[in-house]
Amino acid sequence: MAVITNAFVIAVTSDFIPRIVYEYRINNGSMNGYVNFSLSSFKVSDFPPKETPIANLSGALNYTEPYCRYGGYRMTNYPYDYTLHYWLIMTARLAFVVVFEHLIFFIKFLIAYMIPDVPRALRLTIKREEYLAKQALQEDKLIRNANNEV
């Protein structure tokens, strides 16, 4: 469970996956323009009247730009739905979680296979004791058979 949790934390909170998607899927090996790609635009005039930002303490808002940029992958016009890039990045994040989880479990099983549960010296000692126990049983059986014949 911890492996899956860590995979989701890496995939969702870091900028690693979007950078990889942008570099190799969208911009053919270059990171030029990544910041512009990762920011969405919101038209300031689309604020509902009761949610329009109020002026700062000096009394003036002094914001004259028509768009506000924020981190996200949304359309530039109302209703600001997710773009196809958003879904591509989310798919890559899910694929990362699956690959990361399988890779970690493969490494875990490989290490468990390489490192035995029982040390070699102990395994040899156990085999020797089993052999001696079998010999003792055979000798006891031979002694009983000899006593029964007499």
Side-chain angles (χ1 to χ4, degrees), residues 43-101:
K43 196 182 299 182
V44 177
S45 61
D46 286 344
F47 271 121
K50 291 186 177 183
E51 294 179 14
T52 303
I54 57 173
N56 57 18
L57 293 177
S58 67
L61 186 56
N62 293 334
Y63 189 81
T64 58
E65 297 294 323
Y67 289 97
C68 177
R69 302 295 302 259
Y70 63 96
Y73 303 96
R74 293 190 173 259
M75 301 283 188
T76 56
N77 295 322
Y78 186 81
Y80 303 106
D81 291 331
Y82 291 114
T83 63
L84 290 178
H85 294 297
Y86 171 81
W87 296 112
L88 178 66
I89 290 170
M90 289 305 288
T91 303
R93 286 178 170 165
L94 182 60
F96 172 81
V97 169
V98 172
V99 169
F100 182 83
E101 177 256 342

Side-chain angles (χ1 to χ4, degrees), residues 10-73:
I10 292 169
V12 175
T13 62
S14 73
D15 206 25
F16 172 71
I17 305 298
R19 285 177 184 267
I20 297 295
V21 168
Y22 180 77
E23 184 175 1
Y24 294 107
R25 174 76 182 195
I26 295 169
N27 207 20
N28 298 326
S30 173
M31 289 298 290
N32 291 337
Y34 172 73
V35 173
N36 193 36
F37 165 78
S38 67
L39 296 175
S40 293
S41 298
F42 178 78
K43 196 182 299 182
V44 177
S45 61
D46 286 344
F47 271 121
K50 291 186 177 183
E51 294 179 14
T52 303
I54 57 173
N56 57 18
L57 293 177
S58 67
L61 186 56
N62 293 334
Y63 189 81
T64 58
E65 297 294 323
Y67 289 97
C68 177
R69 302 295 302 259
Y70 63 96
Y73 303 96

